[in-house]
Amino acid sequence: MTYKCAVVDVPFGGAMAGVRIDPRKYSEHELEKITRHFTVEMAKKGFIGPGIDVLAPDVSTGEREMSWIADTYTHTLGYRDINAQACVTGKPISQGGIHGRHSATGRGVLHGIENYITNTDYMDCIGLSPGFPSKTFVLQGFGKVGLHTMKYLHEYGARCICVGETDGAIYNPRGIDPKELEDYEQGHGTIVGFPKAEPYDGSILEVPCDILIPAAIEKQLTRENAPRVQAKIIAEAANGPTTPAAHEILLQRNILVIPDVYVNAGGVTVSFFEWLKNLNHVSYGRLSFKYERESSYHLLQSVQHSLEQWFGKARGEIPIVPSPEFQARVTGASEKDIVYSGLAYTMEQSAKQIMTMAARYNLGLDQRTAAYLCALEKVFTVYNEAGFTY
């Protein structure tokens, strides 16, 4: 986590923690008791707090569990801390959450792929034309990250041809609609049996496609199956889906691997935005929304007045009609707009840093090494300039 945060310039560090249970075997009441007890034990040991360690959702957790954690900390060890809500991110909006956090990791995956697939140099290296339109992709894992990744890539013109889950996979070379699949999964509890696709019995990691997105668990691409992967790009939406041995094989096969330490950092980036919102105690855009909207209208009026003065008002008024895109911006940016803009900028800048590092050390397609070099350089700089006196 320290290196992932360093890659996207987020001042968090820390590690991963959790409770080793199967949540499907417990009632909601039992899960709440477990989560609250876990929070108390973490707090007693000094492992949680807005200025100590900030928790965030991961596998089998979401807004509900984060709300329990925030409530428990706020009413126990954090009851005197005005910033207590900032002890955890990924909360519901009513509990201090932020718009856009739910889909943040998936949207980060989109921007991570976008920064590479629109780069002609990298696309020339792997023999792929730039841009999303007409590209096919395969998705392993239809959880929160996988679903939103599929939606965003579909919006940008890519076509999902195969989706796999723990209980089965489906395949349709003409494409699978993400909304239709989401509705089916919510109604049936599984993607298996989706009427607009065929069952797929083989390994979905080996399906021919342009982009392969492992969005499930770790160690999915191994020494054994890496030689059979037929994708041009692998975007690691999951944490650690590629083993070191598989990584070397994929490099030798001229496959571009966009590493997890960068491409799935959208979640922690927006968690950072939520943390800042909690510390500031005001939502993004609240102080400037009306001012910016009125400034835009004044700008349009100023342009109209200048044109009328120049051409003479005798010819009548010269209406200034904004385009639909500009009109949408004139109405002002919502909190979600600001969050999405900040995430896109963060992913863009981080990609540039990784590509620059790869070029500096002549790493070619080895973006994982380049990303870790970026992170290590930043961490070293902090320690070096801070000193080691204490």
Side-chain angles (χ1 to χ4, degrees):
M1 283 305 298
T2 298
Y3 298 130
K4 179 184 291 188
C5 292
V7 166
V8 289
D9 294 309
V10 168
F12 287 160
M16 307 292 276
V19 180
R20 190 175 180 181
I21 62 169
D22 183 350
R24 294 171 295 185
K25 297 180 180 179
Y26 295 82
S27 67
E28 182 175 330
H29 178 65
E30 290 172 324
L31 290 172
E32 181 176 352
K33 289 178 66 176
I34 292 168
T35 304
R36 289 185 182 276
H37 187 68
F38 173 73
T39 305
V40 170
E41 292 301 316
M42 291 277 283
K44 284 163 60 177
K45 293 176 173 61
F47 291 164
I48 180 175
I52 301 171
D53 201 357
V54 181
L55 277 63
D58 208 300
V59 179
S60 299
T61 59
E63 291 184 345
R64 182 185 65 178
E65 290 77 17
M66 300 307 106
S67 181
W68 292 338
I69 292 172
D71 183 70
T72 303
Y73 180 78
T74 301
H75 289 92
T76 53
L77 274 75
Y79 76 101
R80 288 184 175 178
D81 188 351
I82 192 174
N83 297 319
Q85 271 193 329
C87 71
V88 61
T89 62
K91 304 180 294 293
I93 301 299
S94 64
Q95 304 301 312
I98 192 169
H99 290 89
R101 176 62 181 87
H102 186 69
S103 59
T105 305
R107 194 168 185 89
V109 173
L110 161 73
H111 291 308
I113 299 172
E114 180 185 27
N115 288 314
Y116 280 92
I117 206 168
T118 55
N119 185 296
T120 54
D121 292 334
Y122 279 93
M123 292 304 99
D124 287 344
C125 286
I126 62 175
L128 207 59
S129 61
F132 279 112
S134 76
K135 300 297 187 299
T136 58
F137 68 96
V138 169
L139 182 67
Q140 184 200 38
F142 195 66
K144 183 172 64 176
V145 175
L147 167 62
H148 287 104
T149 299
M150 184 180 179
K151 282 183 175 181
Y152 289 130
L153 264 64
H154 181 79
E155 287 178 14
Y156 274 61
R159 186 172 81 255
C160 181
I161 60 173
C162 187
V163 181
E165 262 290 350
T166 53
D167 56 347
I170 57 174
Y171 176 79
N172 185 345
R174 295 182 300 278
I176 301 169
D177 185 273
K179 185 64 173 69
E180 292 179 357
L181 184 59
E182 179 187 16
D183 292 341
Y184 180 86
E185 195 274 337
Q186 288 179 347
H188 296 79
T190 178
I191 64 171
V192 176
F194 180 62
K196 294 188 177 181
E198 303 170 356
Y200 190 82
D201 296 326
S203 170
I204 68 165
L205 299 173
E206 300 168 18
V207 174
C209 62
D210 297 314
I211 308 167
L212 172 62
I213 306 173
I217 57 175
E218 68 277 0
K219 298 179 182 177
Q220 296 301 293
L221 294 167
T222 63
R223 187 196 305 272
E224 287 70 33
N225 61 15
R228 298 190 296 274
V229 170
Q230 300 184 64
K232 296 283 188 179
I233 299 172
I234 297 174
E236 297 181 331
N239 285 318
T242 309
T243 65
H247 175 73
E248 293 301 321
I249 293 171
L250 295 171
L251 273 180
Q252 292 169 9
R253 296 187 57 215
N254 208 47
I255 295 173
L256 173 62
V257 179
I258 309 177
D260 55 349
V261 75
Y262 161 68
V263 80
N264 73 18
V268 75
T269 300
V270 177
S271 278
F272 172 53
F273 298 161
E274 181 179 332
W275 181 69
L276 290 177
K277 174 185 176 180
N278 294 157
L279 296 182
N280 291 326
H281 300 277
V282 64
S283 61
Y284 291 100
R286 181 175 180 178
L287 300 180
S288 58
F289 179 88
K290 191 171 186 297
Y291 180 84
E292 290 178 355
R293 181 179 60 188
E294 291 178 349
S295 296
S296 297
Y297 281 118
H298 285 308
L299 174 62
L300 292 175
Q301 290 172 0
S302 176
V303 172
Q304 180 177 357
H305 180 69
S306 298
L307 289 173
E308 288 172 350
Q309 279 191 322
W310 180 260
F311 292 106
K313 198 168 183 180
R315 299 183 181 181
E317 290 188 353
I318 303 176
I320 303 297
V321 182
S323 66
E325 293 79 10
F326 185 70
Q327 183 65 48
R329 287 185 173 269
V330 166
T331 57
S334 66
E335 180 176 76
K336 183 182 285 189
D337 293 332
I338 296 171
V339 167
Y340 282 172
S341 176
L343 174 59
Y345 177 77
T346 298
M347 298 301 289
E348 179 185 340
Q349 294 302 112
S350 299
K352 287 179 180 177
Q353 294 171 5
I354 295 170
M355 292 175 187
T356 300
M357 187 68 74
R360 185 195 306 175
Y361 292 102
N362 196 29
L363 296 172
L365 293 178
D366 190 357
Q367 301 302 287
R368 192 187 311 280
T369 299
Y372 274 107
L373 283 172
C374 283
L376 286 165
E377 188 175 83
K378 292 173 185 177
V379 172
F380 171 78
T381 300
V382 169
Y383 276 108
N384 187 50
E385 294 182 354
F388 292 91
T389 304
Y390 297 101

